[in-house]
Amino acid sequence: MKIGQQQLTLGIWRGMWNASQFLDLYLGELKGNGVQSYRRVFPRAKYQSAKSAASRMLKKPSVIQAMQQKLEKMEGVETVSYTHLRAHETL
């Protein structure tokens, strides 16, 4: 796979995918819990290694930029209750 002039290796692609999964969990379901987000992406990670790895990941410029982009997309999105969603399904 090529992006511009740079060829994407499997390792680079895998790293980008893992960072994206981590951010989705961190910003969503796990509500800012970096250790649990990291352990969900890397289930074999021990607690202490997950804690330091999550901290390092959150400091990476590419992850910071991706997080900013995801947060910008979330601006203006309002949450609704499960009951509200179910009501729309029945219409």
Side-chain angles (χ1 to χ4, degrees):
M1 181 184 306
K2 285 192 174 195
I3 296 179
Q5 297 289 15
Q6 184 179 15
Q7 181 154 352
L8 220 58
T9 65
L10 182 59
I12 293 171
W13 184 86
R14 199 175 279 147
M16 290 168 54
W17 173 260
N18 290 340
S20 179
Q21 279 188 302
F22 171 82
L23 280 178
D24 287 344
L25 290 165
Y26 182 80
L27 295 173
E29 178 185 339
L30 297 174
K31 298 176 177 58
N33 188 325
V35 174
Q36 291 304 316
S37 300
Y38 190 86
R39 291 183 79 192
R40 190 75 69 84
V41 176
F42 301 99
R44 294 183 182 169
K46 302 287 185 233
Y47 178 83
Q48 282 298 358
S49 64
K51 185 177 179 180
S52 59
S55 178
R56 283 193 307 274
M57 188 173 285
L58 288 169
K59 292 177 185 173
K60 286 183 176 182
S62 61
V63 172
I64 292 170
Q65 182 181 9
M67 188 176 342
Q68 288 171 338
Q69 290 172 347
K70 287 178 185 276
L71 288 171
E72 286 171 4
K73 287 181 182 177
M74 291 169 60
E75 283 182 23
V77 174
E78 295 181 32
T79 61
V80 295
S81 69
Y82 178 75
T83 305
H84 181 91
L85 291 176
R86 295 291 297 181
H88 281 281
E89 285 182 358
T90 60
L91 296 178

